[in-house]
Amino acid sequence: MHAGDRIDRFLPGFLLDSPLSLAGYAWGTAIGWIWGTLWSTGPVERRAGLWVFRGLPAWAFPRGGVCVGGCFLTGDGAVTDRLLAHEAVHRTQWRRYGFLMPLLYLLAGRDPLRNRFEIAAGLRAGGYVRGRG
């Protein structure tokens, strides 16, 4: 059993995969849209079920990009299908946890190698570890 599964057992069922979590997902998507619209200088695309906002300044998102609700906010780096598959898992996490997602992600820690959300999304696909040769 993963640490995240243990934590989920203590969360009331009405918060997970529910109309309330869907409202939180919609809220996150709205925040992502606002932030992306304000700072994106690149194309906005619909890919892998995500709204992809490109060309944001480096200070406007952490690491290589961030998924907020159904939006992926990033800079000028390559947005590969593999990376989008990773971010689509985060979109699903947002749908499951809704309003709790930012808090739970923060509690999971900044180290992606220990963060349950990054591990579940795939560390290789997210660019956190490299494959052999």
Side-chain angles (χ1 to χ4, degrees), residues 3 22 31 49 54 74 78-79 97 119:
L22 181 59
I31 297 298
R54 301 190 57 196
T74 191
V79 179
Y97 296 103
I119 292 167

Side-chain angles (χ1 to χ4, degrees), residues 8-21 96:
D8 285 3
R9 290 186 316 173
F10 294 104
L11 297 174
F14 70 88
L15 293 176
L16 305 176
D17 291 320
S18 68
L20 186 58
S21 68
R96 176 168 171 72

